[in-house]
Amino acid sequence: MVQIQERDRKLIELILKFKMVPFRVVKEIYNTGKRSAYHRLEKLKDDEIVRKINKEYVTLGEEGMKYVEDEYGVRFSPLPNPRRPITVSRWKNVFEIGYRPWIRNNFITCWDIKTEKGISDKNKVLGVANDYGIFKIPRNMSKKAMTEIITDMNELCDYGVEKFIVLCDGAERLQEFTDVASHKTTTKARAIHVLPYSSSGMQLMDVIVAIPGWKQKVINAVYSNVMPSRYPFFDCEAKGRQVYVGIDGEILSKSNVKSNVKSGIRAEVEVLCLAKQEWRFADIPGAEIRAIAFKDFLNAVDYKQFAMPSSIDDEKLKGAEEE
C-alpha cells in the first residue's frame, strides 16, 4: 500500500469536499510537472486510493473511502452517475464557485448542505459561502425555473440562510431574473444580489462574500464629508444628498429605495453604481447616477487578485503519460 503523504491528504480532502477533482488541480496540488503528477496519481490509482472518471477527473477509490473513514471518521458519498453530462455540468458549476480562493475556505457544497440541513434534493443552490446561498442562472433556464429558484431560497431561509447571490449567464437572463424576483412578493430573503456570470461578476461575488465593510470602504474612497443618512434605506449622506450604493446588484434594497423615492421623500438622491450598470437604476425617478470604474472599485475595497486557475476544462493531465 502506498504511503499517504501530505499532498495526497490535500487531494483526498479536496475530493471529500467536492466529490471529484479535475486533473489540472491535481497538478496544482503536487506543484510539479504533468509527468510527476501523473506518476503519483498512477500509484494512488493502482492501490485504489483514487480512481479516474472520464480520463478527466479523480474521485476516491475503494481503499480511499476506507482511508477517510478510518482517518477522518467520515463516510464518503460519491456522485451518483458521475459520467452523466447533467451530473458533470452541475459539478462543474459547484467546483467553479467553491474553489475560488476568496471563497473556498468558507464554502459548503450543495451536497453537504442537503446532508446537514435536510433540504430538498431538487433545490438548485450550488453552495453556501459565509451565509450567502449561491445560484447560477444558465442561458437556457425558463422563467418557470427562475420562479422555482425563489422557492428554493425560501426553503433555505427556513434553515437560516437568508442572503443570496445569483449569477446570471447573459444580460437577458440577468434582466429576466431581476424581473421575476422583483415581482415575487413571497420571498423570505433578506438580500438577493443579482450579478452577471462573468469575471467581473465573480470578483464582485468575492467582495460581497469575503470582504467585510467593503461598502464603507467604497464610500470613503468616493465621497468626502460623509455623514449617516437620516433614512434607513440609504447608505450615507454626502454633500446634502442621500446616497444609495447599488454596486452589489442587491434588488430588494434597490426596490425599497425606489418605492420611497416614488412616495415623495424630501431629499436629493444619488445612486453610486459600477460603470456600465447605470441602466439598472434608470427607474428611480430624479436620482443622480454616479458611476465608479470597476478597477477603482477593486482598489477601494483592497481586492488582491489571487492567481486564479484556468477553466476547469483546461490543462488536463490526460495524455501526460505520452509526454
Side-chain angles (χ1 to χ4, degrees):
M1 176 69 70
V2 66
Q3 184 71 33
I4 300 297
Q5 301 172 357
E6 181 179 351
R7 290 175 180 176
D8 301 328
R9 283 191 288 272
K10 186 174 180 181
L11 172 61
I12 288 169
E13 289 169 3
L14 205 56
I15 294 172
L16 267 178
K17 183 168 188 171
F18 290 105
K19 307 293 188 183
M20 299 193 302
V21 171
F23 283 179
R24 66 151 177 89
V25 173
V26 176
K27 178 186 170 185
E28 293 170 8
I29 289 172
Y30 288 99
N31 194 26
T32 59
K34 289 183 180 181
R35 181 184 295 275
S36 298
Y38 172 78
H39 286 309
R40 185 60 186 173
L41 196 60
E42 284 298 296
K43 288 182 180 180
L44 296 174
K45 184 173 75 72
D46 289 344
D47 282 350
E48 297 185 3
I49 300 298
V50 302
R51 65 185 179 93
K52 296 179 181 179
I53 297 175
N54 291 345
K55 295 184 178 181
E56 299 178 24
Y57 312 108
V58 178
T59 189
L60 292 183
E62 290 297 326
E63 292 301 320
M65 293 184 194
K66 293 177 184 177
Y67 175 83
V68 299
E69 192 162 0
D70 291 341
E71 292 293 318
Y72 299 95
V74 175
R75 182 168 293 179
F76 178 70
S77 298
L79 283 177
N81 302 314
R83 289 178 172 82
R84 289 180 62 200
I86 191 171
T87 301
V88 174
S89 176
R90 179 163 175 77
W91 170 84
K92 284 183 176 182
N93 287 331
V94 174
F95 191 86
E96 181 184 26
I97 301 300
Y99 192 63
R100 291 181 67 79
W102 279 99
I103 287 177
R104 67 178 65 155
N105 291 335
N106 297 295
F107 185 77
I108 305 172
T109 67
C110 54
W111 307 292
D112 285 342
I113 293 168
K114 291 174 182 180
T115 299
E116 294 172 7
K117 297 184 179 295
I119 66 172
S120 168
D121 285 338
K122 295 181 179 179
N123 196 300
K124 299 178 187 66
V125 69
L126 299 177
V128 174
N130 278 350
D131 296 326
Y132 284 88
I134 301 173
F135 291 84
K136 179 182 174 183
I137 306 292
R139 288 182 180 270
N140 60 351
M141 180 173 280
S142 67
K143 285 190 177 181
K144 180 177 181 295
M146 291 182 192
T147 302
E148 292 169 354
I149 283 183
I150 305 299
T151 303
D152 292 342
M153 290 179 179
N154 287 340
E155 181 184 24
L156 287 161
C157 287
D158 292 337
Y159 291 94
V161 180
E162 299 177 319
K163 298 179 292 183
F164 302 95
I165 292 172
V166 183
L167 298 165
C168 301
D169 191 358
E172 289 184 8
R173 294 290 85 79
L174 189 149
Q175 184 62 65
E176 286 180 4
F177 182 79
T178 299
D179 292 342
V180 167
S182 298
H183 290 94
K184 186 81 171 178
T185 58
T186 57
T187 180
K188 301 177 183 178
R190 290 197 294 116
I192 303 175
H193 302 265
V194 184
L195 308 177
Y197 173 63
S198 63
S199 175
S200 58
M202 303 265 258
Q203 287 178 301
L204 185 50
M205 174 183 67
D206 294 339
V207 171
I208 294 167
V209 168
I211 301 182
W214 68 267
K215 191 175 286 189
Q216 190 60 49
K217 291 179 180 180
V218 175
I219 290 172
N220 293 341
V222 174
Y223 298 100
S224 58
N225 301 320
V226 174
M227 59 188 299
S229 173
R230 61 183 182 272
Y231 300 101
F233 38 87
F234 289 108
D235 294 295
C236 69
E237 181 177 326
K239 295 183 178 180
R241 287 181 175 172
Q242 304 304 311
V243 177
Y244 170 66
V245 179
I247 289 171
D248 57 0
E250 206 291 290
I251 61 174
L252 301 183
S253 61
K254 184 247 181 174
S255 178
N256 192 22
V257 168
K258 177 182 172 181
S259 63
N260 277 280
V261 170
K262 282 188 170 182
S263 70
I265 62 169
R266 295 181 179 180
E268 291 186 58
V269 174
E270 179 167 307
V271 175
L272 177 64
C273 67
L274 291 174
K276 300 182 181 180
Q277 293 294 308
E278 294 91 341
W279 62 271
R280 299 184 73 167
F281 305 96
D283 57 347
I284 299 179
E288 290 289 327
I289 310 296
R290 182 168 183 169
I292 180 172
F294 191 69
K295 65 177 182 179
D296 293 334
F297 162 70
L298 294 182
N299 288 335
V301 300
D302 197 27
Y303 182 97
K304 292 180 173 62
Q305 176 67 57
F306 287 87
M308 290 298 295
S310 56
S311 164
I312 61 177
D313 286 323
D314 295 341
E315 292 189 35
K316 296 168 185 170
L317 284 176
K318 69 176 182 176
E321 65 270 29
E322 298 174 0
E323 289 191 359

